[in-house]
Amino acid sequence: MASTFCSSSIALLHSSIHSSQSLPTVQIYGPKFCGGFGFQAVKGRSPFPVPSAVAAQVNASEQAQKISFNESQRPVYPFSAIVGQDEMKLCLLLNVIDPTIGGVMIMGDRGTGKSTTVRSLVDLLPEIKVVAGDPYNSDPEDPEFMGVEVRERVLKGEQLQVVFSKINMVDLPLGATEDRVCGTIDIEKALSEGVKAFEPGLLAKANRGILYVDEVNLLDDHLVDVLLDSAASGWNTVEREGISVSHPARFILIGSGNPEEGELRPQLLDRFGMHAQVGTVRDAELRVKIVEERTCFDKNPKGFRHSYKAQQEKLQQQIASARSFLPSVQIDRDLKVKISHVCAELNVDGLRGDIVINRAAKALAALKGSVKVSVEDIATVIPNCLRHRLRKDPLESIDSGLLVLEKFYAVFR
């Protein structure tokens, strides 16, 4: 997949070379930066002083390095090969299209492919513009997503070196320490140079990317507090050992877990934009197909991935098209009013549910290639956006998702 991105990007830049002979040579960056490869971007108008145009000259050795690095990575099960679990897959895709939706909480039985599906999303993640060498994946055009150092460079009038890098996916282990998550003092620099320096943690790496927590309902309370703080403010502040550092920490939070192993704190549950329920496949034919597909992947991962290459590339193109099409999607005011009416009827606390439904419906319309949100789009996403926001009634026997749909059809009839 990386070679596909590289080939299309090189072709695009070669056409730029013929149109302008005075363009400088681009520098190719290797796996050192966020596990991806990049090149200086062809810049349009921007309020920040970044290079306006670049051209690429990629030799055979650099391409070989890219291919060998990509092949050396642990093979990931293709997203397109996952059978069933359409609700979970749709929620993940909508969050990639519009990261402001706020992430996904996936709850279901053990062994239903929750972790496999989330990790398979890596192949489909699009590329974004980042400042080269910046540990916080700073956006060269948006000051809200810039680290303090990058913002100071911008104010001084320095030119920022820009590269394209794939959106990063960071795994947060259950046993991670708070220092590793938030960042801490750089001991090596302190001992060798005698200076206090900050060593960024997982939250810095996840900025503008995805933070995945498997078995999130088993996460220690002190780490939950850290995630809540960062998710609420979009910034991570570290105060320790005489160091005071703040950096952007805006990420798509994806969690998975088994409800039988424990409940999630309501404060953290509300931070997830969408909620997907995953059940065990009961159809015997589908179960056999899943077993056979998994067996083929275990025997020959590269061959199995190659058989789904065309489907993966098609899905990539759909996501890229939807992301670019998203700003032009509109939703009628009448539909907005009805969405808020449903939320009010269900006694949903706060306005986060209203906002997420609007964003998710727009993302689904963009995925379909439609310029307007339809009632069907809203009906598809509203159970996932409100199911986890309802107040729990121990005497209520109906599923919360069905309760949401009942209110939806009562309002939208």
Side-chain angles (χ1 to χ4, degrees):
M1 184 194 66
S3 59
T4 304
F5 275 123
C6 183
S7 302
S8 59
S9 303
I10 294 169
L12 176 63
L13 290 171
H14 272 306
S15 65
S16 301
I17 295 173
H18 294 298
S19 62
S20 176
Q21 299 299 322
S22 59
L23 298 179
T25 301
V26 74
Q27 189 176 4
I28 299 296
Y29 293 87
K32 181 179 179 182
F33 187 76
C34 291
F37 298 95
F39 45 81
Q40 282 186 324
V42 178
K43 302 292 295 175
R45 294 180 181 178
S46 172
F48 302 105
V50 293
S52 60
V54 292
Q57 292 181 352
V58 184
N59 56 39
S61 64
E62 287 170 330
Q63 293 186 25
Q65 287 177 3
K66 287 187 179 186
I67 294 172
S68 63
F69 171 73
N70 191 48
E71 290 179 349
S72 67
Q73 301 304 296
R74 185 175 61 179
V76 179
Y77 197 85
F79 189 88
S80 304
I82 294 172
V83 179
Q85 314 300 10
D86 295 330
E87 180 181 318
M88 171 173 56
K89 292 193 290 185
L90 179 62
C91 289
L92 291 172
L93 289 177
L94 295 183
N95 273 270
V96 173
I97 293 169
D98 185 3
T100 62
I101 289 174
V104 190
M105 179 65 213
I106 304 168
M107 297 296 279
D109 305 330
R110 61 181 71 87
T112 49
K114 299 184 295 292
S115 302
T116 301
T117 306
V118 173
R119 293 192 170 97
S120 69
L121 201 63
V122 171
D123 282 344
L124 304 178
L125 296 180
E127 292 182 328
I128 55 174
K129 298 174 185 176
V130 297
V131 177
D134 182 70
Y136 310 119
N137 302 336
S138 293
D139 190 331
E141 299 175 349
D142 188 353
E144 288 296 320
F145 290 94
M146 284 185 182
V148 177
E149 293 180 0
V150 172
R151 193 177 298 183
E152 290 175 352
R153 288 168 57 190
V154 168
L155 294 176
K156 290 177 183 178
E158 293 184 23
Q159 285 194 337
L160 302 177
Q161 200 172 33
V162 181
V163 297
F164 275 107
S165 179
K166 285 192 67 174
I167 290 178
N168 211 16
M169 178 178 283
V170 178
D171 272 288
L172 177 60
L174 292 179
T177 63
E178 189 174 339
D179 287 355
R180 184 68 189 99
V181 175
C182 297
T184 185
I185 189 170
D186 191 333
I187 301 298
E188 182 180 352
K189 188 168 286 189
L191 295 176
S192 60
E193 302 178 19
V195 296
K196 292 179 180 179
F198 179 68
E199 182 178 353
L202 295 179
L203 292 181
K205 191 177 180 183
N207 185 42
R208 301 180 67 206
I210 295 174
L211 184 65
Y212 174 50
V213 189
D214 195 10
E215 306 294 349
V216 65
N217 48 338
L218 303 180
L219 198 63
D220 289 340
D221 283 345
H222 69 283
L223 293 182
V224 172
D225 294 336
V226 168
L227 291 181
L228 283 173
D229 186 45
S230 298
S233 63
W235 284 76
N236 176 40
T237 302
V238 180
E239 302 277 356
R240 58 184 56 170
E241 286 93 20
I243 290 180
S244 179
V245 176
S246 293
H247 66 79
R250 297 190 179 185
F251 45 80
I252 303 171
L253 185 61
I254 298 179
S256 62
N258 185 351
E260 295 178 358
E261 297 171 354
E263 294 293 330
L264 199 62
R265 282 171 58 177
Q267 302 97 316
L268 183 59
L269 188 60
D270 189 55
R271 289 293 168 187
F272 290 96
M274 304 182 77
H275 184 284
Q277 284 187 346
V278 182
T280 303
V281 176
R282 302 300 178 188
D283 183 81
E285 291 293 332
L286 277 181
R287 292 171 75 104
V288 171
K289 183 179 180 181
I290 293 170
V291 172
E292 290 176 344
E293 296 265 272
R294 184 69 208 193
T295 303
C296 291
F297 175 77
D298 291 338
K299 285 183 179 179
N300 184 9
K302 291 183 180 179
F304 185 82
R305 283 171 55 85
H306 183 74
S307 66
Y308 280 92
K309 185 178 179 181
Q311 295 182 41
Q312 290 283 94
E313 290 177 354
K314 182 180 179 181
L315 191 53
Q316 275 181 340
Q317 292 171 0
Q318 285 182 319
I319 293 173
S321 176
R323 281 171 65 93
S324 60
F325 192 62
L326 182 64
S328 62
V329 177
Q330 301 295 323
I331 179 170
D332 293 337
R333 179 172 176 78
D334 179 55
L335 295 181
K336 292 180 181 179
V337 172
K338 288 184 177 180
I339 288 171
S340 294
H341 189 187
V342 173
C343 294
E345 287 289 319
L346 290 169
N347 294 319
V348 176
D349 293 331
L351 296 174
R352 195 170 284 134
D354 305 54
I355 295 171
V356 170
I357 295 170
N358 280 267
R359 291 173 177 172
K362 283 185 176 181
L364 180 57
L367 184 62
K368 293 179 177 178
S370 176
V371 293
K372 271 197 172 184
V373 173
S374 66
V375 175
E376 289 75 16
D377 296 332
I378 300 172
T380 302
V381 301
I382 198 169
N384 305 111
C385 298
L386 294 183
R387 176 191 286 137
H388 58 301
R389 304 182 194 277
L390 303 185
R391 296 178 181 177
K392 290 190 176 180
D393 183 356
L395 301 178
E396 186 68 66
S397 59
I398 187 172
D399 177 71
S400 55
L402 295 176
L403 185 62
V404 172
L405 285 176
E406 278 187 1
K407 291 292 184 183
F408 169 82
Y409 287 118
V411 172
F412 279 79
R413 66 179 184 274

